[in-house]
Amino acid sequence: MENKINYSRQTQKIIESLQENRDRGELPRLLLHSCCAPCSSHCMEYLREYFDLTVFYYNPNITIAGEYEKRLAEEKRLIEAYNLQVEEQSFADMHSTPAAGKIGILEAPYDSQKWFERVRGLESCPEGGDRCTVCFEMRLRKTAEAAAAGGFDYFTTTLTISPLKDAQRLNRIGMQAGQEYGVTWLPSDFKKRDGYKRSIELSRQFGLYRQDYCGCIFSKAQRDRERAAELEE
């Protein structure tokens, strides 16, 4: 049986090692791949305390254009709200301090056709299977590429906050992408330490749109079948 690595603890150790830099106001630059606003809510609240944070929005797996635009708009709305808190030093109901910094956003071009090409032949895979592995690799490699090109010190993803996503697999893929592009992967398992619970709280607080499927038409079809079966019971 594979021994699972505690990636949440690794995140904490890295942050602790950066404390002296933080005290001097020297924050490392982190590129955070975000899948959606609800998942990024806790991640951004947490990471903006310790990093010069930029969100990277690259999700060609969201294969319905209208859905993509809706999720991107919610991401931008949440970032604007967080940045307003920093400007006004207003952190009521937040797990943040005056050390929190503003958050930038970097949008990659939307290209769902390239995603379809990458997952060809895997259309019938169940959610969480081989199609998802290919999808994770595509998005995290693109994030690593952008991080290297932009001179970021670290990169990571919000995907590990989901109870439905395998943090062990995501961290392996992220580390491999980091080695390929020469940029440091920040290990994470953001669902730990009540991270997922906090994302639910923040989604309610900001009235965020929460989708009930990952993004692609194949995951949506699977979710629709599951909901239909639930109604028949």
Side-chain angles (χ1 to χ4, degrees):
M1 180 180 296
E2 179 185 8
N3 291 325
K4 290 190 175 181
I5 299 171
N6 189 327
Y7 288 109
S8 178
R9 186 175 300 162
Q10 289 191 359
T11 310
Q12 284 301 112
K13 287 182 177 179
I14 290 172
I15 285 175
E16 289 169 5
S17 74
L18 298 171
Q19 186 60 47
E20 287 187 12
N21 293 38
R22 184 191 184 203
D23 293 341
R24 294 194 300 267
E26 300 172 358
L27 300 181
R29 298 179 66 217
L30 171 65
L31 189 64
L32 173 67
H33 167 261
S34 175
C35 55
C36 63
C39 287
S40 69
S41 59
H42 162 67
C43 302
M44 293 193 298
E45 180 190 51
Y46 171 49
L47 295 169
R48 68 177 178 171
E49 292 277 321
Y50 308 103
F51 297 92
D52 179 355
L53 185 61
T54 298
V55 164
F56 184 57
Y57 201 83
Y58 176 66
N59 297 294
N61 59 303
I62 305 174
T63 48
I64 300 172
E67 179 73 14
Y68 177 90
E69 293 298 333
K70 187 173 185 178
R71 296 191 195 188
L72 175 58
E74 284 292 86
E75 186 73 57
K76 290 180 176 179
R77 182 170 73 85
L78 181 59
I79 291 173
E80 288 176 0
Y82 276 6
N83 287 345
L84 184 61
Q85 291 172 344
V86 174
E87 290 175 4
E88 299 180 348
Q89 289 293 287
S90 173
F91 300 113
D93 301 319
M94 297 298 292
H95 296 178
S96 296
T97 73
K102 284 191 174 183
I103 303 165
I105 184 168
L106 178 61
E107 296 175 49
Y110 176 53
D111 188 357
S112 61
Q113 188 57 44
K114 184 174 293 185
W115 184 87
F116 277 117
E117 293 171 359
R118 290 290 300 275
V119 302
R120 185 176 294 127
L122 301 172
E123 294 86 350
S124 61
C125 288
E127 193 71 1
D130 290 344
R131 184 182 66 245
C132 292
T133 298
V134 171
C135 181
F136 297 156
E137 289 173 345
M138 182 178 182
R139 288 190 280 171
L140 294 189
R141 287 185 74 255
K142 187 70 171 180
T143 308
E145 180 183 27
F152 287 84
D153 300 294
Y154 295 90
F155 76 106
T156 194
T157 181
T158 64
L159 287 166
T160 64
I161 202 168
S162 171
L164 301 177
K165 299 292 190 296
D166 180 3
Q168 302 294 310
R169 178 174 18 169
L170 284 162
N171 278 280
R172 285 196 300 270
I173 293 170
M175 284 186 282
Q176 290 169 358
Q179 291 169 1
E180 181 178 349
Y181 285 95
V183 63
T184 303
W185 167 255
L186 179 70
S188 73
D189 192 352
F190 291 121
K191 72 177 71 65
K192 301 294 187 180
R193 300 163 62 90
D194 288 331
Y196 178 69
K197 177 182 177 183
R198 180 60 179 160
S199 74
I200 299 296
E201 294 171 353
L202 289 165
S203 293
R204 290 176 181 150
Q205 180 177 334
F206 289 96
L208 299 176
Y209 164 63
R210 290 184 62 85
Q211 62 285 346
D212 63 357
Y213 69 101
C214 184
C216 72
I217 58 172
F218 309 118
S219 64
K220 184 178 188 302
Q222 179 175 325
R223 180 59 183 139
D224 290 344
R225 290 193 297 271
E226 290 170 351
R227 293 177 69 180
E230 291 169 0
L231 293 174
E232 292 176 358
E233 293 180 354

